[in-house]
Amino acid sequence: MEPRWAVWAKELAAVAQNGLTYTESAYERERYEKVRRIAAEILAAGGGGSPETVAALWQRERNYATPKVDVRGVIFRDDKILLVREALDGGWTLPGGWADPCQSPREAVEREILEESGFEARAERLLAVYDRARQGHTPIMPFHIYKLFILCRITGGAPAISHETLAVDFFAEDAIPSLSLSRTLPRQIHRMFEFYRDPTLPPDFD
């Protein structure tokens, strides 16, 4: 669970963004921009980057504030799970990333798997919808994020790295390597193995 100050900062930023979206008053716009600057200072003070960097990220956002969506592909082969090694931090993770506009969750996760692992895959079942802020990921992000874990099946392709990944491999549950904790947590991996062992389990959601 993220600390309350981080939640407050992001809630203030959302209030400011929504206000800036709908107000027609120059006076109110000035006040909402001030609220957004204060929110950026709060998040930065807690270790979320510089106030200028955080504010610049928020200023790019337009329209009503909503959570961003991260998709993760869950693929098993011979009782092992597919992981890719991230180029950014060297940690391993389930293949995935941001969902793109105009793509369904199925299309997004199938694209991410191909781009990051080289495998063609077919999405088959939603396993979990997690709230990143409630799961304990680090570092704290300036946006609210939902993470979709989707069971997929390999239909073609072959292991291949990309500009985003350094390695592609399958791992047994008792041999999971050091993970990229911003993207995937150990308990999430173990939960995916529980879904693998018992396909009748209903999806998780926060």
Side-chain angles (χ1 to χ4, degrees):
M1 179 73 75
E2 285 186 347
R4 289 301 300 166
W5 56 263
V7 176
W8 293 333
K10 287 190 276 191
E11 287 180 346
L12 285 172
V15 168
Q17 181 177 328
N18 294 341
L20 289 167
T21 296
Y22 294 111
T23 187
E24 296 180 358
S25 165
Y27 175 83
E28 289 183 356
R29 177 169 294 277
E30 181 181 340
R31 294 298 179 265
Y32 285 128
E33 288 174 347
K34 182 175 182 179
V35 169
R36 185 162 59 186
R37 288 196 300 272
I38 293 171
E41 291 175 3
I42 293 172
L43 196 62
S50 71
E52 294 77 17
T53 299
V54 175
L57 287 172
W58 283 337
Q59 286 168 2
R60 297 175 192 166
E61 298 296 303
R62 296 291 185 271
N63 302 316
Y64 192 85
T66 61
K68 293 185 177 294
V69 178
D70 173 82
V71 295
R72 294 288 149 183
V74 181
I75 293 178
F76 290 95
R77 187 173 69 182
D78 299 327
D79 298 330
K80 296 180 179 180
I81 196 167
L82 174 67
L83 298 178
V84 297
R85 190 176 183 188
E86 279 286 337
L88 285 176
D89 62 12
W92 292 81
T93 181
L94 296 168
W98 297 124
D100 285 346
C102 303
Q103 282 192 329
S104 69
R106 175 192 298 277
E107 292 169 332
V109 75
E110 291 174 355
R111 170 184 54 78
E112 285 288 344
I113 291 169
L114 179 61
E115 290 177 354
E116 295 194 349
S117 75
F119 287 113
E120 298 171 2
R122 176 68 175 172
E124 295 188 328
R125 186 163 76 95
L126 179 66
L127 299 180
V129 179
Y130 293 136
D131 183 328
R132 186 184 187 278
R134 296 173 185 266
Q135 288 289 308
H137 290 270
T138 56
I140 293 170
M141 299 289 280
F143 303 105
H144 202 90
I145 299 166
Y146 290 163
K147 298 178 67 66
L148 277 57
F149 289 69
I150 301 172
L151 181 66
C152 301
R153 173 175 50 86
I154 292 176
T155 59
I161 62 172
S162 70
H163 68 281
E164 296 179 289
T165 56
L166 302 174
V168 180
D169 208 344
F170 288 84
F171 296 89
E173 187 174 9
D174 60 358
I176 300 300
S178 178
L179 296 174
S180 174
L181 299 181
S182 177
R183 298 166 179 83
T184 306
L185 300 176
R187 60 187 174 84
Q188 292 168 345
I189 294 291
H190 293 306
R191 183 58 174 163
M192 297 306 112
F193 272 97
E194 291 177 356
F195 281 115
Y196 174 66
R197 288 189 290 268
D198 185 358
T200 67
L201 289 174
D204 286 349
F205 62 92
D206 285 331

